[in-house]
Amino acid sequence: MSVTAVGNNVAGTDYQQYQKSDEVLFKTYSYQDGKGQEKVYYKKDCVELSLESYMIPATVDNYEEVRNMLKAQSGGKIISPGNRFFSETYDIMRDYYAGKITCDEVKNIFKEYVYHAFGRPEGTQDTAIAQESGETWETEGTNASMSTYEKQKLTGWLSGLYEYFSRANTRNACTQNMREGKALLEENGINWNGTYYYNSDWYYACEEMQKMFQETANELTEEYGAEQVDFTYVEQHTRFTLDGGITYNGVWDSMEWQINRDRAIGGSFHDINMTPPEDFVYCSNATWDGEAGLDGFKEYFAGKNAESPFKLFLLAAVKNIDAKESLLLNHENYLAASEWEDNDIYQSTMSFLKNFNITWNYGSNCFEFLSVK
């Protein structure tokens, strides 16, 4: 078909602006300019073409093959919602971490993608609002009218949407972590190359968004009467496995490998599923010049935590290193250490520190610091 005009709306608002539903050919939805954008294509502005050439007659040789393919797809657990979601979901989460949109706005955009793909089910808030205002707008699909195949497809498609949003969320959260570490080191005159930086605040910020995605997906499957998404299955079978998967620690591990793969050091996790302590910040650097820059770290964290004294702060530096593990695991290496009163905090911190698979280039000048608020 050819389109001569398009109506534009911000999705989720002003449905009363639509003409009668039988004049709307179809609607599309995308993320642009910091918000979800809806385009409404009206019949009067379009030239419809026959779709008969796309029908599959039951008599053709490949009929059973195509039929079996469709049946297999209906049982698929992860259906890609489309290539554009790769970039759009990344833009959404980039804008979220930049403070341009709120968590509630992300949730609304997530829902609108589903509503525009499968029709808005009866009983949703927007349907009730339309009915109360006397509008004649009708939902394009309802939980009562959806077939078993359609419900299976919705669950698979929603699994794919969760996968894309999770990919975007974990990568943007890890990027924020890396930017923070890079800025901190450069402010203290230290080269960022050869650095591993991990702030658990970004882990928990990422996890909070992941939980929101899961809760929203569950709300949607309940609205449509469909089977809930198997989030563990999606995380374990994601198409992005080779790029760190869709968990924060997995992506952090992958990013660090990409940054430092040409250096004779390592900083991967032994167990990417291990949960970090709260308020945990760790940094190691293998390109330190052996002289400047270390004094500012404790002052930096002390300034950030003026109202909440350190529970633990450790700093270690070694010239011409001959070690195969974190410097902070050896008490003899401490240059600065706070007095800790809670042994549980120290033990849980050291347990997570051991999860970093730290290896050093023999003979390097290295330093590490660790902070727990």
Side-chain angles (χ1 to χ4, degrees):
M1 65 183 65
S2 61
V3 179
T4 59
V6 177
N8 291 287
N9 280 318
V10 176
T13 62
D14 298 329
Y15 281 105
Q16 62 271 24
Q17 294 181 8
Y18 290 168
Q19 301 182 35
K20 292 181 180 179
S21 60
D22 59 356
E23 295 181 356
V24 176
L25 184 60
F26 63 90
K27 293 173 284 186
T28 63
Y29 182 75
S30 61
Y31 181 79
Q32 299 173 3
D33 302 324
K35 57 189 175 184
Q37 302 279 4
E38 183 179 71
K39 292 183 179 180
V40 183
Y41 295 79
Y42 296 96
K43 287 185 179 180
K44 65 183 179 66
D45 299 320
C46 302
V47 177
E48 294 188 59
L49 302 177
S50 172
L51 298 179
E52 290 182 358
S53 59
Y54 298 98
M55 299 291 287
I56 304 173
T59 56
V60 300
D61 294 337
N62 65 338
Y63 175 78
E64 284 299 325
E65 179 184 347
V66 174
R67 182 172 177 271
N68 291 335
M69 188 191 317
L70 292 173
K71 287 174 63 178
Q73 183 185 19
S74 70
K77 290 186 178 290
I78 309 176
I79 299 175
S80 174
N83 292 335
R84 67 184 178 88
F85 287 89
F86 185 90
S87 57
E88 284 189 21
T89 52
Y90 188 89
D91 291 344
I92 292 166
M93 298 315 301
R94 179 199 60 200
D95 288 349
Y96 168 75
Y97 282 104
K100 294 181 180 180
I101 58 176
T102 67
C103 180
D104 286 341
E105 288 174 314
V106 174
K107 179 174 182 176
N108 289 337
I109 292 167
F110 188 104
K111 281 194 165 186
E112 287 292 343
Y113 276 130
V114 179
Y115 290 151
H116 280 75
F118 292 91
R120 194 177 298 266
E122 288 183 348
T124 60
Q125 184 177 4
D126 288 317
T127 305
I129 292 173
Q131 292 171 345
E132 289 175 5
S133 64
E135 296 298 318
T136 59
W137 174 75
E138 298 178 355
T139 58
E140 298 171 8
T142 67
N143 51 2
S145 64
M146 291 183 72
S147 66
T148 300
Y149 164 76
E150 289 171 326
K151 290 180 180 180
Q152 289 176 336
K153 183 177 179 182
L154 183 144
T155 300
W157 193 92
L158 191 54
S159 298
L161 191 63
Y162 170 74
E163 180 187 31
Y164 275 108
F165 265 97
S166 298
R167 174 197 172 275
N169 179 41
T170 52
R171 279 149 184 78
N172 274 283
C174 284
T175 296
Q176 293 296 322
N177 174 85
M178 300 301 179
R179 287 175 178 170
E180 179 182 273
K182 188 173 187 291
L184 176 58
L185 264 68
E186 290 180 348
E187 286 172 5
N188 286 273
I190 297 176
N191 193 323
W192 166 251
N193 292 331
T195 298
Y196 294 96
Y197 182 84
Y198 187 99
N199 185 341
S200 68
D201 285 352
W202 295 112
Y203 170 91
Y204 285 103
C206 180
E207 285 295 297
E208 184 177 350
M209 287 302 301
Q210 291 297 102
K211 183 178 179 181
M212 188 276 286
F213 295 149
Q214 294 178 7
E215 291 174 347
T216 304
N218 287 338
E219 290 174 12
L220 288 163
T221 53
E222 184 175 350
E223 289 178 17
Y224 288 95
E227 183 181 349
Q228 290 190 346
V229 173
D230 187 340
F231 303 111
T232 301
Y233 179 92
V234 176
E235 292 171 1
Q236 293 176 348
H237 296 85
T238 174
R239 71 202 75 196
F240 305 116
T241 298
L242 296 179
D243 195 24
I246 55 174
T247 64
Y248 181 89
N249 283 348
V251 174
W252 182 91
D253 191 283
S254 177
M255 281 189 172
E256 288 292 1
W257 178 84
Q258 292 177 46
I259 293 171
N260 294 304
R261 65 183 182 275
D262 295 329
R263 301 180 182 279
I265 58 174
S268 60
F269 280 122
H270 291 292
D271 179 8
I272 63 172
N273 296 315
M274 189 173 184
T275 302
E278 293 184 359
D279 303 318
F280 170 94
V281 179
Y282 168 73
C283 180
S284 67
N285 178 280
T287 57
W288 176 49
D289 63 9
E291 300 296 334
L294 302 186
D295 293 338
F297 291 123
K298 187 172 184 179
E299 286 74 8
Y300 170 82
F301 286 104
K304 290 188 66 174
N305 307 317
E307 299 179 359
S308 177
F310 288 121
K311 294 177 182 176
L312 180 65
F313 179 82
L314 303 175
L315 175 65
V318 175
K319 298 180 180 180
N320 298 317
I321 192 170
D322 183 13
K324 299 298 182 182
E325 61 181 8
S326 169
L327 303 176
L328 299 178
L329 296 176
N330 185 345
H331 290 208
E332 296 179 358
N333 291 330
Y334 293 168
L335 296 181
S338 68
E339 295 295 329
W340 56 86
E341 298 178 359
D342 191 335
N343 288 332
D344 290 340
I345 293 175
Y346 177 76
Q347 293 300 329
S348 64
T349 300
M350 290 298 106
S351 177
F352 190 73
L353 180 62
K354 291 177 182 178
N355 193 37
F356 289 91
N357 182 25
I358 299 296
T359 58
W360 302 101
N361 185 11
Y362 179 81
S364 297
N365 297 326
C366 305
F367 77 84
E368 291 181 280
F369 68 79
L370 180 154
S371 167
V372 180
K373 288 188 282 186

